Amino acid sequence: MLRFKFAGCLALFLLASIATHAQAPKSLSLKYLLQRVTEAAPALLTDSSAILVKDAQAREASLNWLPNLKLNYQANLGTNNNVAGPYFGYGIVPSNNRGVRDESNTTTVLSNLGIASLDWEVYNFGAYHAQNQSASAEVEVEKSRFARSKYSLETFTIENYLQLMRLQELETIQLFNIERNQEIRRSIRALARSGLRPGVDTSIAEAELSKSRLNYIELINQSKQVRLQLSAISGLPYESIIPDTTAESKLFAQSAQVKMFNTDTLNHPLVNYYRSLYNSSIRREEVVKSSYSPKVMLQAAVWGRGASLDAEQNFKPLHSGWGFQRENYLVGLGVTYNLFDIKRKQVKLSSQKLASRYALNKLHEQRTLLTAGAIQADANVNTALERLNEIPKQLKAAQAAYRQKFALYKNGLTDIIELNAALNLLYRAETDHVSAKYSYVQALFQKAVAENQVSTVINFLN
């Protein structure tokens, strides 16, 4: 008797130790998973880099008003053997000087020239402002594109998280189904050994058990694939991505509040993106208008020259050419305008207006799609809720039918075919229950996505 008591105490101690040290896998909340996706998703990292690029380009555009101040110094050794006649000067040629004589003279002359020139577009009828506004609009486009990508990734994450919850429940149901098939197999074997059941029933039971195990393997594979997809965008090990099974019950408890939240399509990330594209196109129209306007230019130059050739055309020693012997300055204010720019402006502005109209139509299209999606989501929520309320009746009836058929089979009052039919009916009712819960939660999140209330639904899960 003492030996049995000692063995019992030892077994209880071992079970307590195992329960203490064995830790159940920690579930991962949807809110934390979305936070990790925002921080680690490669697509979002790329889009955030694009924002930095547009910011840099905007800073570059803000400096377009700066003038050009060029410094030039040159020392030249050559001849001064010119002929009279005009020419076009390319580069910095402030003035011409003497050097024309009756006979050819190829004596070497040393000269040096230092120039400081200023070229400033002081006024261009708002072109600088239009360029800055257009650059800022491009930054907003990139920011809204980032927000759209983030929202799309959140939607993708939520859908896969819900899918993982569904698969996890299906795995549990499949384990129960395996246990039921094992129980049926044990009963058939006992009845077959006693001669109350034919041996073929054992083979049928083995086949059903094997099929249920294969289904379980397939579910495990599907769960792994979903976890791998979530791991790729969150940076988390796929083994650690275990959904919180209490999320569904929390949403069911808050279903009344979820169905009543206000629609916010005005600030929806998808709407903001197309609105930013339209605004950017309008800013480009302003750039086109101002880029063909007249330009007021301020130009100035200061230069000094020296040469080994004096005013009487005497060729002096080369070293006398160093240093500046004459200094000059030139200041001018001019207006430039190309008359043919009128036609260029009309054509280019017409093209840009068409682009603006396209962006505006896309904005209206997106608003229409979101409105239709919100209406459809409401209908899906109501349908899923009705289905969810009806499913428990089917499940209860299927459970009762299976228990009755199993009892009748063990008493020899029915055959294996009817028992398997009852088992399949129960399995389908259980999977339909999971699908109904999944459809309801999925419809709630689809409504939240369409109405820009994802964060509100996520807060219900805390």
Side-chain angles (χ1 to χ4, degrees), residues 260-280:
M260 293 177 61
F261 53 59
N262 297 323
T263 304
D264 185 21
T265 55
L266 182 63
N267 298 312
H268 198 286
L270 298 179
V271 172
N272 285 341
Y273 172 68
Y274 289 104
R275 184 187 295 119
S276 67
L277 286 179
Y278 174 68
N279 292 335
S280 178

Side-chain angles (χ1 to χ4, degrees), residues 173-174 177 180 215 423-431:
I173 290 175
Q174 195 61 48
N177 196 45
R180 286 192 290 262
N215 290 337
L423 178 61
N424 291 331
L425 180 64
L426 174 58
Y427 176 69
R428 188 173 70 249
E430 291 173 338
T431 55

Side-chain angles (χ1 to χ4, degrees), residues 147-276:
R148 184 187 67 165
S149 298
K150 178 183 175 184
Y151 204 75
S152 298
L153 270 178
E154 286 179 345
T155 304
F156 176 81
T157 303
I158 291 170
E159 289 177 352
N160 280 273
Y161 188 88
L162 297 179
Q163 181 73 5
L164 199 58
M165 289 172 54
R166 184 182 74 89
L167 290 171
Q168 185 168 289
E169 289 193 59
L170 290 177
E171 290 172 15
T172 302
I173 290 175
Q174 195 61 48
L175 286 175
F176 288 146
N177 196 45
I178 291 174
E179 291 179 2
R180 286 192 290 262
N181 277 286
Q182 288 175 337
E183 183 182 8
I184 291 174
R185 184 186 63 177
R186 287 193 297 269
S187 298
I188 291 176
R189 283 181 174 177
L191 293 172
R193 282 195 295 269
S194 61
L196 299 177
R197 286 293 177 185
V200 68
D201 284 8
T202 304
S203 300
I204 295 175
E206 289 287 352
E208 290 294 329
L209 177 59
S210 178
K211 184 177 70 174
S212 61
R213 285 171 175 168
L214 289 174
N215 290 337
Y216 181 73
I217 292 173
E218 179 60 27
L219 290 172
I220 292 294
N221 179 63
Q222 292 180 18
S223 296
K224 185 176 181 180
Q225 296 301 320
V226 175
R227 286 190 173 95
L228 288 173
Q229 290 179 352
L230 293 175
S231 174
I233 60 175
S234 66
L236 295 170
Y238 80 92
E239 301 92 345
S240 66
I241 302 178
I242 300 173
D244 182 9
T245 55
T246 64
E248 285 183 346
S249 58
K250 292 177 181 178
L251 281 179
F252 294 152
Q254 302 286 344
S255 59
Q257 290 85 344
V258 171
K259 289 190 293 183
M260 293 177 61
F261 53 59
N262 297 323
T263 304
D264 185 21
T265 55
L266 182 63
N267 298 312
H268 198 286
L270 298 179
V271 172
N272 285 341
Y273 172 68
Y274 289 104
R275 184 187 295 119
S276 67

Side-chain angles (χ1 to χ4, degrees), residues 158-160 162-163 166 248 251-252 377 380-381 384 435-449:
I158 291 170
E159 289 177 352
N160 280 273
L162 297 179
Q163 181 73 5
R166 184 182 74 89
E248 285 183 346
L251 281 179
F252 294 152
N380 291 339
V381 169
S435 297
K437 291 190 295 181
Y438 169 73
S439 297
Y440 179 68
V441 176
Q442 186 186 38
L444 287 179
F445 272 106
Q446 286 176 345
K447 177 179 172 65
V449 169

Side-chain angles (χ1 to χ4, degrees), residues 172-418:
T172 302
I173 290 175
Q174 195 61 48
L175 286 175
F176 288 146
N177 196 45
I178 291 174
E179 291 179 2
R180 286 192 290 262
N181 277 286
Q182 288 175 337
E183 183 182 8
I184 291 174
R185 184 186 63 177
R186 287 193 297 269
S187 298
I188 291 176
R189 283 181 174 177
L191 293 172
R193 282 195 295 269
S194 61
L196 299 177
R197 286 293 177 185
V200 68
D201 284 8
T202 304
S203 300
I204 295 175
E206 289 287 352
E208 290 294 329
L209 177 59
S210 178
K211 184 177 70 174
S212 61
R213 285 171 175 168
L214 289 174
N215 290 337
Y216 181 73
I217 292 173
E218 179 60 27
L219 290 172
I220 292 294
N221 179 63
Q222 292 180 18
S223 296
K224 185 176 181 180
Q225 296 301 320
V226 175
R227 286 190 173 95
L228 288 173
Q229 290 179 352
L230 293 175
S231 174
I233 60 175
S234 66
L236 295 170
Y238 80 92
E239 301 92 345
S240 66
I241 302 178
I242 300 173
D244 182 9
T245 55
T246 64
E248 285 183 346
S249 58
K250 292 177 181 178
L251 281 179
F252 294 152
Q254 302 286 344
S255 59
Q257 290 85 344
V258 171
K259 289 190 293 183
M260 293 177 61
F261 53 59
N262 297 323
T263 304
D264 185 21
T265 55
L266 182 63
N267 298 312
H268 198 286
L270 298 179
V271 172
N272 285 341
Y273 172 68
Y274 289 104
R275 184 187 295 119
S276 67
L277 286 179
Y278 174 68
N279 292 335
S280 178
S281 186
I282 294 296
R283 294 292 177 266
R284 290 197 191 99
E285 288 184 24
E286 297 300 323
V287 172
V288 171
K289 293 177 183 177
S290 61
S291 63
Y292 291 102
S293 299
K295 297 174 177 58
V296 179
M297 307 292 297
L298 174 64
Q299 293 178 306
V302 177
W303 69 95
R305 292 198 66 182
S308 61
L309 181 66
D310 63 14
E312 285 76 25
Q313 300 296 308
N314 297 317
F315 292 89
K316 293 183 177 183
L318 293 178
H319 64 81
S320 64
W322 291 115
F324 297 150
Q325 300 165 3
R326 297 289 188 274
E327 290 79 26
N328 293 281
Y329 72 90
L330 184 65
V331 178
L333 188 65
V335 179
T336 178
Y337 184 64
N338 188 345
L339 291 177
F340 284 98
D341 280 349
I342 297 176
K343 186 60 178 179
R344 296 189 182 96
K345 176 182 176 181
Q346 291 176 348
V347 174
K348 193 166 185 179
L349 186 58
S350 177
S351 299
Q352 191 58 51
K353 284 183 177 295
L354 289 175
S356 299
R357 186 182 303 173
Y358 171 78
L360 183 61
N361 290 337
K362 291 294 292 184
L363 175 60
H364 292 329
E365 176 190 354
Q366 192 60 52
R367 286 174 175 168
T368 303
L369 290 175
L370 286 175
T371 301
I375 296 174
Q376 183 63 45
D378 280 330
N380 291 339
V381 169
N382 294 330
T383 301
L385 185 59
E386 292 177 1
R387 184 184 179 199
L388 189 61
N389 292 330
E390 183 64 28
I391 285 292
K393 300 176 184 178
Q394 175 192 2
L395 181 60
K396 184 177 180 181
Q399 290 171 340
Y402 170 72
R403 289 193 298 268
Q404 293 171 5
K405 287 293 182 180
F406 193 28
L408 291 173
Y409 180 82
K410 287 191 291 186
N411 292 318
L413 299 178
T414 189
D415 57 21
I416 188 66
I417 303 300
E418 293 188 5

